[in-house]
Amino acid sequence: MLTFQQQISEAEAQLRKLTSRMRTAFNEVPLAAPSTYFQDRLHNIRTETGEDVDARVTLRVVEDWFATEHDKSRRLLVADAKTIFGEIQGLHRELQTFNKKLSSFNTSLQEHLEHSSAVFDNLSELKISIYSGVEELDYWSVINKITNDREEWTQEDSLPSVDAVAHLNALLAIWDGNRGINAQFKSLVSIRGSVREQGNFRQFRNRAELENISSNGLSYLVLIILFLGFIGKVRGNAPVQLTWCVDELKAIDAENIVSLCNYLGQNRITLCTAFPDPDAETLMLFEHKYKLDAERRLVHCELALENDATDDGELELAWEDGE
């Protein structure tokens, strides 16, 4: 049997072992509240007594922490965690709202596109999607998880779970030291779509592909139809007349120029354009026709039937000086 003295020695050895683990636990996160409190208390005790702190004194410091400081520190941690996770959740909410609004806009835009694409010759099955790159952001999946985490641990007013902290660390791993994380909505939007021209199916996934989709003005028409969709969405049923300036109208084939002018008129849009080689067939689509002469004066244009011919006669241009 162990003597009483041996039992005391073993108990003290066990106490030293346990308090050593406590020291390690308190100092695990430098500058955190437990570590700061523990180090300050031990330093003050050494200063006051001039002796090393033994296991019994260490245990008393630990007891004091849980009696006076632990709950206070925990409340501060919970409050800070709610603030940090809340700001991330706010960013997630903004991006999600942006995504939903873009999706809703897309739906209403398609209704206009289906009608518009049927207006022009050799153009059908036009589909344009205003694409959102939100879900392709490198941090989207992480802030999505953090948002879900916050909904769980805040309900019980507890500290974030181990998984929640791991997700926060994953976000910090891609955090820009100068700018943090941010999202420029303009850079998150792109245009994708497809169209069938004269039986040929064509696709575009960005602006460059749209501009080069055809050599006969098809991309021009697609852009105009897209802008009409935007105008229809913003203007709604308000009786507002707009004026559009369209450059290089002759890039579009003649049949579709007629369709375009008529369709813009139906949508309460007045077309204003300029081109270097006017012809009577195109000019007759416009109520007001002008040119600049060599002296950069405005000259008015009138259309007349050649030799006072009938409806089968050819149109000719007559220019008159205008003030």
Side-chain angles (χ1 to χ4, degrees):
M1 294 181 61
L2 295 174
T3 65
F4 181 69
Q5 187 63 39
Q6 288 175 323
Q7 291 177 348
I8 292 177
S9 296
E10 287 190 1
E12 289 181 343
Q14 183 67 14
L15 179 61
R16 286 193 296 272
K17 183 178 180 180
L18 292 175
T19 54
S20 176
R21 292 179 181 176
M22 293 177 187
R23 283 173 178 261
T24 301
F26 268 80
N27 294 322
E28 184 175 1
V29 182
L31 302 180
S35 175
T36 301
Y37 174 87
F38 195 74
Q39 294 294 337
D40 288 347
R41 282 293 307 276
L42 295 185
H43 174 75
N44 292 338
I45 292 172
R46 292 192 192 97
T47 302
E48 293 171 1
T49 63
E51 299 177 358
D52 288 337
V53 178
D54 61 17
R56 294 177 183 275
V57 175
T58 300
L59 182 60
R60 189 166 64 248
V61 172
V62 172
E63 290 175 340
D64 290 345
W65 161 262
F66 283 102
T68 62
E69 300 295 327
H70 175 71
D71 286 341
K72 184 192 304 182
S73 176
R74 187 179 183 281
R75 286 194 297 271
L76 289 174
L77 280 175
V78 171
D80 287 345
K82 286 183 177 179
T83 299
I84 294 171
F85 279 70
E87 290 182 357
I88 297 171
Q89 188 180 40
L91 173 62
H92 178 270
R93 188 183 299 112
E94 285 189 32
L95 291 172
Q96 197 171 51
T97 300
F98 173 76
N99 229 9
K100 289 180 179 179
K101 287 183 177 180
L102 203 58
S103 177
S104 175
F105 179 82
N106 249 332
T107 301
S108 60
L109 180 63
Q110 299 310 313
E111 298 174 0
H112 187 90
L113 294 178
E114 290 177 4
H115 175 67
S116 298
S117 61
V119 171
F120 301 102
D121 293 338
N122 301 320
L123 184 64
S124 62
E125 300 179 27
L126 174 62
K127 296 180 181 179
I128 300 178
S129 174
I130 309 302
Y131 181 78
S132 167
V134 166
E135 296 184 6
E136 295 178 0
L137 291 168
D138 54 359
Y139 56 78
W140 172 253
S141 62
V142 180
I143 66 173
N144 196 41
K145 292 176 182 177
I146 289 175
T147 298
N148 294 333
D149 292 336
R150 187 177 188 273
E151 295 295 338
E152 294 176 3
W153 62 264
T154 53
Q155 292 178 358
E156 301 177 359
D157 198 31
S158 61
L159 287 169
S161 65
V162 174
D163 287 341
V165 174
H167 295 153
L168 185 59
N169 284 329
L171 180 62
L172 291 175
I174 55 177
W175 192 279
D176 187 293
N178 296 321
R179 298 180 302 167
I181 56 174
N182 60 79
Q184 299 294 329
F185 287 149
K186 181 179 178 181
S187 65
L188 295 176
V189 178
S190 61
I191 297 176
R192 299 181 181 182
S194 61
V195 65
R196 190 173 297 279
E197 181 201 19
Q198 296 181 343
N200 297 317
F201 184 72
R202 305 177 187 274
Q203 288 182 299
F204 51 91
R205 291 165 295 181
N206 51 52
R207 177 179 175 180
E209 290 184 2
L210 174 58
E211 290 177 349
N212 298 314
I213 196 172
S214 175
S215 59
N216 62 354
L218 173 61
S219 57
Y220 217 166
L221 288 176
V222 171
L223 281 175
I224 289 173
I225 292 173
L226 179 60
F227 289 147
L228 277 170
F230 289 159
I231 291 296
K233 177 68 175 177
V234 174
R235 184 175 57 182
N237 296 321
V240 177
Q241 185 75 24
L242 299 175
T243 299
W244 271 15
C245 295
V246 177
D247 193 21
E248 298 295 341
L249 184 66
K250 298 298 286 290
I252 304 172
D253 58 85
E255 293 80 3
N256 280 329
I257 290 178
V258 176
S259 299
L260 174 63
C261 291
N262 292 335
Y263 192 52
L264 290 180
Q266 294 169 15
N267 284 273
R268 302 192 301 278
I269 296 175
T270 301
L271 179 62
C272 177
T273 186
F275 39 86
D277 51 345
D279 60 85
E281 287 73 16
T282 301
L283 290 176
M284 68 183 297
L285 299 171
F286 297 88
E287 181 178 356
H288 303 287
K289 299 165 278 289
Y290 304 92
K291 79 167 185 176
L292 291 176
D293 64 11
E295 298 179 4
R296 303 188 67 80
R297 294 181 304 170
L298 198 62
V299 179
H300 184 258
C301 170
E302 293 289 347
L303 296 179
L305 285 172
E306 186 178 14
N307 299 323
D308 295 327
T310 63
D311 292 343
D312 294 330
E314 294 184 358
L315 289 170
E316 65 175 6
L317 305 181
W319 301 101
E320 299 176 353
D321 288 347
E323 297 297 335

